[in-house]
Amino acid sequence: MQKTLRDSAALRWLVLILISSLLFSTYWFYDFYGGIKGLMERGMGISSEEYGRIMSSTTYANVVGMIILGGIILDRWGIRLAGLVFGGLSFLGAIISAAAVAGWFGDDKSTMLIWSIVGRIIFGIGMEVVCVMVTRTIVKWFMGYEMALAMALNIGFGRLGTAMGMAVAPDLAAGGFISPAFSFAAILIGISLVFFIIYIFFDIKIDKQRAESGIVTEEEVDEEKFRFADFKKLITNRSFIYIALLCMVFYSAVFPLLAYAPDLLVNKYGFSYEMGSDGEFLIFGSAILGTAFIFVLLLIFGLSFSMVPRAFKSNTHKLLSFLVISTLFLGYVYVLRDVFSEWLLNGPKTASLIPMGTILFTPIFGSIVDKKGKAATLMMIGSALLVFAYLSLSVFNHVYLGYLGLISLGIAFSLVPAAMWPAVARIVAENRLGTAYGTMFTFQNWGLAAFFWGIGALLDFVNRYRLADIEAGLTNYDYTIPVLMLALLGVISAWLAYKLKQADKLQGYGLENPHTSN
Ligand SMILES: NCCCC[C@H](N)C(=O)NCC(=O)O
């Protein structure tokens, strides 16, 4: 058979970097706000409820079906045009948000708030469809090759964006000026769009080659398309309903918390927002470059731990490679010990370690699910860990219990997605997965809309008699009740995972069975 561009490993990985950069930059923009929540409140004069409203607005178009509509548009227009339009929308939304906080539309609070919301709505439309488009592109290039690895790397780039956005934003907003943090995040999306435009040349070429060699038939393309009949079938399938509800409730307990986690650590445990010079690692005199370097190395270690030993057949080689990576990792931690000990007292840096941890743990749990199965049980355990995490971070006041809570949260955030997304592939036929993910992301956005806003609103409400003192810096927000509310979501998630396990017993999708025979 005639060779195409995707038969070259180097080109496949180049394509992955070009398109995953969009995930990196859009996850960065989505999540960097958490690192500067306190600075935004002071800089824009907004309350926690208003901060929550800005975060929640990311989902407004998606709660009324924009992701599904975006999926249909993606089917009709294809990767190139849809990628440009939706990537362009996320860039436009980011520019509007950056212009809003820079005071371009007016520097009074309500103008900045309204335009920030407009920016986030437009960004949210683009971002979610970009996620679907990037996944499609990976399938196009990696089907029959290293698809699972490519998907893991892709989500790793996204998590790296989240972590770096949260950790670096306060450095960019030095002196309390939040505008540079917004402009930088918007520029990142612009750069990744340039990468996407470069990708388009490869996409045109491979489509030509595939057409010439007759690899893609019309029916094959049609198979992937969204159909309302599939949608109706999905939402009447008991197992799918439970897993979609679990997706909504679980992510509602995790993503919104990330938007408040640095502020929670600052207010509850007295962590800092801005980094002292002891915690700075400078490269060419720049703390931002230094932080970026530390995170990129963490990513490389995370991926090496989970992928290099697995690549060897013999147990001796597996063990040897694990020992070599562990030694290098310990050396890295030792050299940076002073920096890390400062980081663990800084709100944004500590919170950013949660998404970083998932890069290490998600592939490990993924391979456990492959080998041992027990997907529904693991989702129950992950949800129970959420309950522990949020009890530790709310009703108790000891900082070490707080760290333990954050670690549990990181494990839950790795365990549930690692078990959930492959489980969907067991419940739903492969050629209907696009519709299934679009539907689940829509449910997810309903939950996110409520809880991004709800945490901020509840925070203002329970602290209503102390708000003036909080603004004056005389006292701190009490996060107990808002975080306790998230513990309740953990309980509901565990119950939904249990119901999923029961439904699976009846319907026989085999969620508890291993994916591989060994
Ligand atoms: N903070 C990034 C938001 C990503 C939203 C997206 N719908 C999603 O859930 N992706 C899967 C994931 O686990 O990130």
Side-chain angles (χ1 to χ4, degrees), residues 26-27 30-31 67 127-128 131 155 158-159 162 247 251 255 258 413 417 421 441 444-445 448 452:
T26 51
Y27 271 53
Y30 199 114
D31 294 313
I67 305 174
M127 189 273 172
E128 289 285 2
C131 285
I155 203 76
R159 297 274 185 262
T162 294
C247 171
Y251 278 105
F255 282 153
L258 285 183
F413 189 20
W421 299 113
F441 283 162
Q444 181 199 55
N445 272 258
L448 296 182
F452 270 127

